[in-house]
Amino acid sequence: MDSIISEARGSLIGKRIPRPSVFRLLRGRGRYVADIKLPRMLHVAFVRSPHAHAKILRIDTSAARAAPAVFRVLTGHELSEVCTPFIGVAHNRPGHKSAPQYPMAVDRVFWQGQPVVAVVAHSRAEAEDAAELVEIEWEELAPILDGGAALAPSAPVIHNSLSNNLAFEHNIKAGNPDQAFAQAAHVVDHQFNFIRQTGLTLEPRGLIAHFDTGSESLTVYHSHQSPHQMQGVFSRHLGIPEHKVRVIAPDVGGGFGLKINVYAEELAVVAISKIIGLPVKFCADRIESFISDIHVRDHKIRARMACAADGTITAMSVDDVSSIGAYGMYMRFNITESLMLVTNTGAAYDFSNYAAHTRNAFVNKSLIGMFRGVGIPLSTVVTEVLADMAANKLGMDPVEFRRRNYRKKENMPCVAPGGNKLNNVSFHACLDRLTAVMDYEKLRQEQTELRKQGIYRGIGIATFVEPTAYGPAFYGPTGAPISVQDGCTIRLEPTGVLRCITSITDQGQGTLASIAQIIADTIGVDMDSVEVMGGDSALTAYGGGAWASRGIVYGGEAALKAARQLANNVKQVAAAITQSSPNDLEIVKGEILNKHTGTQVSSLADVGKIGYFRQDTLPPDLDVQLSVTMSHVVNNHSYYMTVGTQGSHVEIEAETGFIKVLGHWAITDCGRVINPLIVEDQLRGGIVQGIGSTLYEECIYDEIGNMVNATMADYLAPMASEMPDIYVEQIETPERTTQLGAKGVGEAGVIGAMGALWVSVSDALKPFGATISDQPFTPERVLDAIAAAKTK
């Protein structure tokens, strides 16, 4: 396998290049959806349900229609005549079911915040004012808010078209878990309750839809992670030929998976534009985001681990109930959190007996959807908390317990009990490096001394696995038309500049910058000579966009292929110009040199000018191809496995229940690292999200299904003062099956951080005999845990 690193010219791969220096590629075009203005553009505001469950008896829109500057008022029934319903069911999951969902509620509402009426006006403010004039008569129905209650035999069924509230049930059994638990020397078990949270992207969701009645074509500027996915969605459900649908994803202000999902009101906006034939804009405000964006978590999990007397793990079991919201998530399937939980639990550890049972229940809440890490953070928490509990029961150091039970590199490839395939990953190396950089032994000594002084600190170690960059086997069998390939076009301009158009999108993580590095390094030019753009379904090669930490794994590989081909094509033309052999030439900083003498014989600019304007000077049989498009997908590929370890150090104030994170460390094996600075910042950002998930963030509902903390004043998220020093480091084990050797890393931070924090907080509570089960660990929950321990 050829390396993309050239010793002759000095590699850009592996260099810490700040994103601003390469984002001249976005200068002049980088715009957010909120900033885009089109002529005669109208704005839409939604009237949303104040109830979690109710029948719509009557809608009176007459006052709203008569309000100043109102262009149109539309109900769910009117939109249902233009937009077909969608059903979030995976075809390869027997028994998976969901009711059809329309862009807006038609006769019943199923969660607080579900859109019911759309008001279209000349400005957002005028649309909002008119929306307040809409009168709706409701018949309130009792909401079901808990998954366990929804699955009770006597529970009322939320959707009349379904027989019960069970969306999906799944079981895994490997080996003989019943026998292993019966024969175990030690068994530990714990209850884990993960409260709902949401994504908090810096830029809320938004889009501008323009249906041109003359050409019968649709253009959508969309704050989304996958333009081609949404091109297909709009085409299928609005009856517009796909080639007449163009989706442009400009600079997206944060995605985290939240913006890979299909949202009902976004389809409503496009349907409205089709009805009225004018541009229509919608941007969610922050309160709308809280009640209409996808939520995550909402799991109740009971898990066990069995061990032999020598500390060897012999079995694990997981029983999960997940409340997935009122519908199945279209295309992106909100049963995935549970499936990721049960398939990834215990994957790092060498045991063969495993039982898992998961049930997904419909409840009267907003839909669960894709979010950074999906269910893998939960599997990490479950596994690592039980591992620490088992080590404590055995009187063994938690690090030694993990080291003893890790899957060894020499025994790979192997398949974990949940079904995950592992190969060429380095658990032991990550753990050894982590304990060294965090000075684990010293922290343990300090912990012992400080406890004598009434200072309670905890140390947590978590090992994680992260299947990244899923291949065709993941979505293909589900029936969801989601592309897992990505493509890249590179064109040599007459000036010698390289213009790249990639199907990968960028939500601030720096993927386009890394693609520019790969192209510059492979062809042999400076970074300033590479212009990169993406996110336009009409211009780019067909591709999946950004999800599952796949941007560099797929988009980078496509860029590498295209760059290599273009470099060869350039050398062919240069050889004809200089009457030499292509094998004697190399490209260095945009100049074409004789590789034997180092003498400059031509340049990319010369090749561009002659290749475009003076072909008459070239041999008649020379095929000049200065624009190359290549795509990448592996037909039989499942995923690329990233692994790592994280450590967290916390202190609990027993009198107040406050938790302070003193330090956090992360060692990650994510294959070849293209840009260390971007990788490190991705990990740090994910770790901060993990801190937020574990210690602060929750969607709080009252007894009738209203979210009561739907503002940034009430929904707690970590601030700068809560962020500790975060040390990150990578161990590079290049992926053997690709030329680039990279794996995904965008979700590893949050996946490992949640596990490390659960373990460290549990460790800090050990002197009190206290255990904690409900995430996030608010001061009230910490105090309750300590108080409960005193009554035992």
Side-chain angles (χ1 to χ4, degrees):
M1 181 177 67
D2 294 336
S3 170
I4 64 170
I5 298 175
S6 169
E7 298 294 336
R9 61 174 174 266
S11 175
L12 289 167
I13 305 302
K15 290 188 177 178
R16 298 168 61 89
I17 299 174
R19 277 171 281 180
S21 69
V22 299
F23 270 88
R24 69 182 294 269
L25 52 94
L26 294 174
R27 246 180 250 157
R29 71 165 282 273
R31 304 181 71 185
Y32 295 95
V33 164
D35 298 327
I36 296 170
K37 290 182 173 57
L38 296 175
R40 300 177 63 203
M41 183 164 65
L42 300 170
H43 297 257
V44 62
F46 290 101
V47 179
R48 297 179 181 273
S49 170
H51 305 295
H53 196 191
K55 290 182 181 179
I56 303 170
L57 301 180
R58 182 181 61 89
I59 301 176
D60 184 354
T61 62
S62 57
R65 294 175 191 273
V70 169
F71 189 87
R72 191 78 177 264
V73 181
L74 299 111
T75 64
H77 177 74
E78 291 173 277
L79 292 191
S80 70
E81 297 176 346
V82 176
C83 182
T84 58
F86 39 98
I87 303 176
V89 169
H91 295 171
N92 64 331
R93 298 294 180 183
H96 185 199
K97 64 178 184 284
S98 174
Q101 185 180 2
Y102 285 90
M104 297 196 302
V106 177
D107 54 9
R108 292 175 68 180
V109 292
F110 296 97
W111 77 89
Q112 180 216 12
Q114 185 174 4
V116 180
V117 176
V119 179
V120 185
H122 292 288
S123 71
R124 171 66 182 244
E126 289 165 319
E128 288 181 347
D129 289 344
E132 294 181 2
L133 302 176
V134 174
E135 294 183 4
I136 303 176
E137 183 180 344
W138 307 93
E139 179 186 330
E140 291 188 54
L141 303 173
I144 302 177
L145 305 174
D146 175 75
L151 296 176
S154 59
V157 179
I158 291 175
H159 294 285
N160 294 332
S161 61
L162 303 179
S163 58
N164 55 41
N165 297 319
L166 178 65
F168 182 65
E169 184 173 16
H170 185 65
N171 289 282
I172 297 174
K173 186 174 181 180
N176 193 335
D178 293 338
Q179 182 180 23
F181 276 105
Q183 297 177 352
H186 302 283
V187 175
V188 293
D189 71 286
H190 194 70
Q191 178 69 37
F192 302 85
N193 301 321
F194 295 92
I195 313 300
R196 278 187 170 231
Q197 65 175 91
T198 189
L200 290 186
T201 55
L202 184 63
E203 175 202 26
R205 291 184 296 110
L207 73 164
I208 299 168
H210 182 201
F211 184 77
D212 187 316
T213 55
S215 62
E216 295 186 328
S217 63
L218 172 70
T219 301
V220 182
Y221 291 88
H222 201 177
S223 183
H224 201 274
Q225 295 172 221
S226 181
H228 283 106
Q229 170 189 304
M230 297 312 298
Q231 178 189 39
V233 169
F234 297 143
S235 170
R236 286 192 300 277
H237 293 282
L238 292 161
I240 306 170
E242 190 164 317
H243 70 279
K244 290 195 171 187
V245 178
R246 180 183 186 185
V247 179
I248 303 167
D251 301 339
V252 176
F256 310 132
L258 183 150
K259 294 177 182 174
I260 198 65
N261 299 282
V262 179
Y263 290 90
E265 66 258 61
E266 294 180 359
L267 266 165
V269 172
V270 179
I272 291 167
S273 181
K274 185 181 180 185
I275 290 170
I276 66 178
L278 290 170
V280 178
K281 177 178 179 178
F282 168 71
C283 285
D285 62 29
R286 189 57 70 180
I287 292 177
E288 283 184 301
S289 295
F290 275 114
I291 60 175
S292 65
D293 287 356
I294 59 98
H295 290 175
V296 293
R297 319 300 182 220
D298 213 346
H299 291 254
K300 293 183 178 179
I301 303 166
R302 192 79 191 183
R304 297 186 298 159
M305 178 180 284
C307 295
D310 65 354
T312 302
I313 299 172
T314 58
M316 286 190 72
S317 70
V318 174
D319 186 59
D320 167 55
V321 174
S322 169
S323 303
I324 64 169
Y327 292 96
M329 174 57 72
Y330 182 48
M331 296 184 71
R332 294 291 175 169
F333 312 124
N334 43 13
I335 64 172
T336 307
E337 269 208 344
S338 290
L339 292 174
M340 290 294 186
L341 159 68
V342 297
T343 54
N344 286 280
T345 293
Y349 298 106
D350 194 1
F351 67 96
S352 57
N353 303 300
Y354 180 57
H357 180 210
T358 180
R359 291 171 292 165
N360 304 113
F362 293 119
V363 295
N364 293 114
K365 293 180 181 177
S366 181
L367 276 62
I368 295 293
M370 292 292 179
F371 178 71
R372 201 174 198 173
V374 196
I376 308 175
L378 311 188
S379 68
T380 304
V381 169
V382 167
T383 304
E384 297 305 303
V385 169
L386 291 179
D388 249 51
M389 292 174 66
N392 185 58
K393 198 164 190 176
L394 289 156
M396 185 182 297
D397 183 84
V399 168
E400 176 55 31
F401 180 84
R402 287 166 171 79
R403 187 177 283 119
R404 180 172 299 192
N405 284 286
Y406 278 158
R407 294 183 180 275
K408 296 180 174 61
K409 199 170 185 178
E410 56 266 28
N411 295 334
M412 298 178 187
C414 61
V415 179
N420 266 343
K421 302 171 184 177
L422 295 121
N423 191 19
N424 195 33
V425 293
S426 48
F427 295 116
H428 289 86
C430 289
L431 181 65
D432 291 344
R433 185 58 186 155
L434 177 71
T435 54
V437 298
M438 67 186 293
D439 204 345
Y440 177 78
E441 295 297 335
K442 182 180 179 182
L443 289 180
R444 284 293 184 200
Q445 293 170 6
E446 289 178 354
Q447 180 188 48
T448 301
E449 293 302 316
L450 289 170
R451 282 180 177 174
K452 298 174 183 177
Q453 305 170 35
I455 298 173
Y456 301 99
R457 292 185 175 178
I459 302 162
I461 304 290
T463 305
F464 69 89
V465 299
E466 182 199 354
T468 70
Y470 284 90
F474 187 76
Y475 273 116
T478 71
I482 294 173
S483 175
V484 294
Q485 76 170 33
D486 273 288
C488 178
T489 297
I490 309 175
R491 183 176 76 219
L492 175 65
E493 301 288 341
T495 59
V497 168
L498 299 170
R499 187 177 299 277
C500 165
I501 305 173
T502 175
S503 59
I504 289 294
T505 59
D506 199 316
Q507 293 78 49
Q509 64 269 64
T511 306
L512 299 188
S514 295
I515 286 175
Q517 281 182 264
I518 293 167
I519 294 169
D521 191 76
T522 304
I523 292 179
V525 299
D526 292 330
M527 290 287 292
D528 285 346
S529 295
V530 182
E531 300 278 333
V532 181
M533 66 170 291
D536 189 330
S537 67
L539 299 181
T540 71
Y542 206 94
W547 50 275
S549 303
R550 64 191 303 280
I552 289 303
V553 179
Y554 280 95
E557 196 78 18
L560 176 63
K561 290 179 178 180
R564 284 179 169 171
Q565 185 61 56
L566 182 59
N568 289 335
N569 294 356
V570 166
K571 290 177 187 177
Q572 292 285 345
V573 177
I577 295 171
T578 59
Q579 298 183 3
S580 59
S581 168
N583 295 330
D584 293 332
L585 303 178
E586 63 178 347
I587 306 169
V588 179
K589 293 187 176 182
E591 308 296 339
I592 299 173
L593 310 181
N594 182 302
K595 66 169 61 174
H596 305 295
T597 66
T599 304
Q600 179 183 345
V601 296
S602 188
S603 68
L604 289 182
D606 291 339
V607 170
K609 290 170 184 173
I610 293 173
Y612 289 120
F613 309 133
R614 291 304 311 273
Q615 299 94 330
D616 59 298
T617 64
L618 297 173
D621 59 344
L622 179 63
D623 184 17
V624 180
Q625 296 289 338
L626 300 182
S627 180
V628 173
T629 299
M630 300 291 284
S631 292
H632 177 71
V633 70
V634 181
N635 295 343
N636 62 348
H637 164 67
S638 298
Y639 42 73
Y640 301 99
M641 188 66 77
T642 289
V643 304
T645 54
Q646 291 190 27
S648 190
H649 189 209
V650 303
E651 182 176 315
I652 290 180
E653 193 175 87
E655 293 77 16
T656 65
F658 280 96
I659 299 170
K660 183 177 182 180
V661 185
L662 304 174
H664 200 96
W665 301 262
I667 307 297
T668 309
D669 183 352
C670 59
R672 174 170 287 152
V673 176
I674 305 302
N675 187 317
L677 184 63
I678 290 176
V679 169
E680 290 167 12
D681 285 348
Q682 278 290 291
L683 286 164
R684 288 192 178 94
I687 288 167
V688 171
Q689 282 188 313
I691 293 171
S693 295
T694 311
L695 303 184
Y696 300 102
E697 297 183 47
E698 62 179 323
C699 298
I700 303 172
Y701 285 84
D702 63 18
E703 66 280 0
I704 60 173
N706 292 317
M707 186 176 171
V708 298
N709 64 330
T711 71
M712 289 303 297
D714 301 304
Y715 183 96
L716 298 184
M719 309 280 284
S721 59
E722 281 93 30
M723 298 179 195
D725 287 337
I726 300 173
Y727 178 90
V728 295
E729 185 179 309
Q730 285 70 54
I731 291 176
E732 294 194 43
T733 308
E735 171 58 41
R736 295 169 176 168
T737 63
T738 67
Q739 299 177 64
L740 192 59
K743 303 175 186 177
V745 73
E747 296 159 277
V750 68
I751 290 171
M754 285 177 59
L757 284 160
W758 266 77
V759 172
S760 61
V761 171
S762 299
D763 185 50
L765 290 172
K766 282 179 184 176
F768 304 98
T771 58
I772 194 163
S773 297
D774 296 346
Q775 176 186 293
F777 302 152
T778 61
E780 293 83 0
R781 291 187 177 118
V782 172
L783 292 175
D784 287 346
I786 294 172
K790 292 178 180 178
T791 63
K792 289 180 181 179

